Amino acid sequence: MQVFITGANGFIGSAVVSELLSTGHQVLGLARSEEAEHVLQAAGAQAQRGSLSDHDSLRAGAARADGVIHLAFNPDYANFQQACDLDRRAIEVIGEALVGTSKPFLVPNGLAGLAPGRVVTEDDGIPADYRFPRMSEQTALHLASQGVAASVVRLSQIHNAARQGLVTSLIEVARRTGVSAYVGDGGNRWPAAHISDVARLFRLVLEAPETGARYHAVAEEGIELRAIAAKIGDTLGLPTKSLRAEDAEGHFGPFALFASQDMPASSKATARKTGWHPTGPGLLDDLEKIG
């Protein structure tokens, strides 16, 4: 397949590009700069110059490809609504270009806020009281109802030794404040998966997609935040501290929205559908290497 990928030079995108190329697919990556073009070309991919706000480029990339994976997103928590609006519109534009085709369209979402206090499964939809402004899943599933072969891959904390999803922000705050913190008793749980496993899952879904389906990129169902904070503190040589809920925003800033989230998730249905079985190292193992 020729696969158009937004965010092709990003953390997850570059791993997906490598996975696809190594298994015989061709990749057309969205590139925002000449440097990004060169990186893609050096990896063996083609480049489509543009950005998420360049709708003509998004349409052109979708038209050239046999399938699309949307991975570009700017996690700017200080301007999160703006980033989410840009993301939603880009998904809509790509979807409009795919109407009437059978081209698979894979769109990511997170797991926060879906079913606090219990393990989220692939059968769980977006709740009526959903607090988060990102609308990627709702937009993709609406497109599926309009005849687009769209499906959703829900992302946990995707990690290696260099980056760890939302945990990367915890590390940055710990370095800045000199304290590795969690909220309350720190019993809230975050799921995780190694980047190599996640790249393989995207390929498996792309090769045998199910329109309107939800898949979970989850290897570890839920690691308590106090354990994550303790590992960060041990690795960086910093104290670990519990914060009162009312003090979370002062410490974490806009990221406080996520710091208290309990979002354990299962990937049993994903494994049954795709044959995906994670083999990469765990999140806490990778946190020992952050230095």
Side-chain angles (χ1 to χ4, degrees):
M1 296 175 66
Q2 167 94 314
V3 186
F4 177 48
I5 302 181
T6 71
N9 283 315
F11 175 54
I12 299 175
S14 58
V16 173
V17 168
S18 179
E19 171 72 18
L20 292 177
L21 292 174
S22 70
T23 53
H25 297 286
Q26 299 176 343
V27 172
L28 174 66
L30 186 68
R32 291 183 295 175
S33 66
E34 185 176 348
E35 179 183 2
E37 287 186 55
H38 292 160
V39 170
L40 285 169
Q41 290 163 355
Q46 296 177 281
Q48 171 79 34
R49 191 66 175 269
S51 66
L52 289 188
S53 59
D54 184 349
H55 294 169
D56 287 341
S57 181
L58 296 179
R59 294 185 186 99
R64 291 175 61 184
D66 302 311
V68 180
I69 302 177
H70 172 61
L71 291 170
F73 186 76
N74 177 24
D76 179 359
Y77 299 113
N79 299 285
F80 199 54
Q81 183 65 62
Q82 181 179 350
C84 293
D85 291 343
L86 180 66
D87 177 62
R88 175 187 52 78
R89 184 59 186 139
I91 295 169
E92 290 173 341
V93 168
I94 294 170
E96 290 162 3
L98 298 178
V99 171
T101 76
S102 59
K103 298 178 181 181
F105 182 23
L106 277 56
V107 175
N109 189 30
L111 287 156
L114 295 179
R118 66 171 177 82
V119 175
V120 180
T121 74
E122 294 88 340
D123 290 333
D124 286 308
I126 299 293
D129 59 350
Y130 192 61
R131 296 174 51 203
F132 296 89
R134 190 173 186 186
M135 301 287 289
S136 56
E137 179 168 332
Q138 299 94 313
T139 306
L141 296 183
H142 175 72
L143 289 169
S145 72
Q146 302 299 308
V148 178
S151 54
V152 174
V153 179
R154 289 172 170 169
L155 302 177
S156 57
Q157 309 321 306
I158 312 306
H159 62 87
N160 60 11
R163 292 186 62 176
Q164 303 83 24
L166 293 175
V167 179
T168 301
S169 294
L170 290 181
I171 296 168
E172 292 171 352
V173 173
R175 291 186 193 276
R176 186 178 72 247
T177 63
V179 174
S180 182
Y182 56 88
V183 180
D185 68 359
N188 55 306
R189 298 153 293 175
W190 287 6
H194 192 266
I195 183 64
S196 60
D197 290 319
V198 175
R200 188 169 70 257
L201 177 60
F202 271 100
R203 175 179 61 80
L204 291 171
V205 175
L206 181 79
E207 291 173 345
E210 178 185 329
T211 297
R214 294 179 286 258
Y215 302 88
H216 282 188
V218 173
E220 297 177 279
E221 286 194 356
I223 307 164
E224 291 184 341
L225 201 64
R226 60 176 169 245
I228 295 172
K231 181 64 70 174
I232 293 170
D234 288 346
T235 304
L236 298 182
L238 298 174
T240 303
K241 179 182 178 181
S242 169
L243 299 176
R244 298 180 302 172
E246 56 266 35
D247 296 328
E249 187 170 358
H251 182 82
F252 291 112
F255 183 73
L257 174 67
F258 295 95
S260 300
Q261 289 297 310
D262 184 43
M263 46 186 169
S266 167
S267 59
K268 291 178 181 177
T270 295
R272 287 196 302 270
K273 286 184 178 182
T274 66
W276 182 65
H277 298 289
T279 60
L283 174 61
L284 297 184
D285 292 331
D286 271 342
L287 289 178
E288 290 182 351
K289 306 168 188 173
I290 58 177

